[in-house]
Amino acid sequence: MAWWIWLVVAFAIGIVEVATFTFVLLWIAIGAFITAVLSPLIGSVWGQLLLFAIVSTVLLVATRPLVRRWRQRRTYPERRETMIHKRGVVVEEAQPGAFATVRVQGELWSARSDHPLRRGQAIVVRDATATVLTVEPAEEE
């Protein structure tokens, strides 16, 4: 196969990769590009196809775990993580272990505490799940 056919294939797959952003087709496009570069040295179409398959597979297998780790890396903390150590105020009081309602950064949250919480009492967030904050009474300044 002519080198320019491999170059067209690499370019077309590259465009699809940019549209989907899956990081799978990227390695196949690079495999097609490397095959385009080396195709003048390999006259057989089967040899070119074998080179394409080997290069694409090696790139995919070698780099997929790195890409997966990179894509899973969070660049921003989740909202609940930003709540820890924030101060708030009790809106609805509760006894230890029961749910209270607290206002932290202008938002109402369900909260639990090992201490009794009184309406208007200042609190500090010690832990957070997706829906419930664990709070303690704030030390008076």
Side-chain angles (χ1 to χ4, degrees):
M1 221 183 313
W3 65 270
W4 60 270
I5 294 174
W6 285 109
L7 198 59
V8 169
V9 168
F11 185 71
I13 294 172
I15 288 174
V16 173
E17 171 59 40
V18 169
T20 60
F21 202 61
T22 60
F23 284 114
V24 172
L25 297 176
L26 173 66
W27 312 123
I28 296 172
I30 291 172
F33 178 76
I34 291 172
T35 304
V37 171
L38 297 177
S39 65
L41 303 175
I42 303 170
S44 165
V45 173
W46 291 109
Q48 292 175 11
L49 288 172
L50 182 63
L51 175 67
F52 169 69
I54 290 171
V55 169
S56 298
T57 302
V58 167
L59 285 172
L60 183 64
V61 169
T63 59
R64 191 72 176 150
L66 297 173
V67 171
R68 184 176 294 128
R69 204 170 329 139
W70 176 75
R71 289 184 75 188
Q72 289 176 348
R73 183 181 64 199
R74 292 189 320 223
T75 55
Y76 300 103
E78 289 184 12
R79 175 77 174 126
R80 64 185 175 89
E81 292 171 348
T82 64
M83 300 300 288
I84 297 175
H85 303 298
K86 298 294 183 194
R87 297 173 80 72
V89 65
V90 177
V91 176
E92 291 182 26
E93 56 188 42
Q95 294 303 313
F99 286 106
T101 302
V102 297
R103 183 178 309 273
V104 179
Q105 294 183 324
E107 296 179 354
L108 294 177
W109 288 80
S110 293
R112 283 195 162 177
S113 177
D114 292 334
H115 307 280
L117 299 175
R118 300 178 323 276
R119 179 184 291 261
Q121 182 179 21
I123 52 94
V124 175
V125 178
R126 295 296 177 212
D127 193 19
T129 64
T131 58
V132 179
L133 302 178
T134 302
V135 300
E136 292 180 357
E139 296 178 9
E140 299 299 323
E141 295 180 8

